[in-house]
């Protein structure tokens, strides 16, 4: 994730993903922050997804596979 502010390591976060080719958003996804790096005026935040429903899991896998 690219964010304006850093998040603390091991913070729990709730987020949603916009699916560009599907014209919609995910349900709530839950994740834990596992790393943060400064990137100019932003922060790159690495997360581990901890709760994802099956539909969103498949959609995310298809995005990663097409990247």
């Amino acid at each position: 994730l690219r964010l304006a502010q850093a998040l603390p390591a091991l913070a729990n976060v709730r987020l949603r993903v916009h699916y560009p080719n599907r014209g919609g958003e995910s349900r709530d996804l839950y994740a834990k922050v596992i790393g943060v790096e400064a990137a100019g005026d932003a922060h790159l935040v690495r997360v581990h997804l901890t709760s994802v429903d099956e539909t969103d899991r498949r959609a995310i896998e298809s995005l990663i596979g097409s990247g």
Side-chain angles (χ1 to χ4, degrees):
L1 306 172
R2 181 181 290 270
L3 304 174
Q5 294 182 332
L7 294 174
L10 303 179
N12 293 310
V13 294
R14 181 181 64 185
L15 55 113
R16 289 200 170 191
V17 174
H18 175 72
Y19 300 126
N21 296 331
R22 300 181 119 184
E25 281 192 346
S26 69
R27 295 179 185 239
D28 287 343
L29 307 175
Y30 294 89
K32 186 169 289 282
V33 174
I34 58 172
V36 180
E37 294 178 38
D41 61 348
H43 300 275
L44 299 179
V45 178
R46 200 167 17 141
V47 299
H48 171 77
L49 295 173
T50 57
S51 179
V52 180
D53 74 14
E54 185 62 23
T55 301
D56 288 320
R57 183 191 64 75
R58 285 191 304 263
I60 291 167
E61 285 177 350
S62 72
L63 288 173
I64 292 170
S66 66

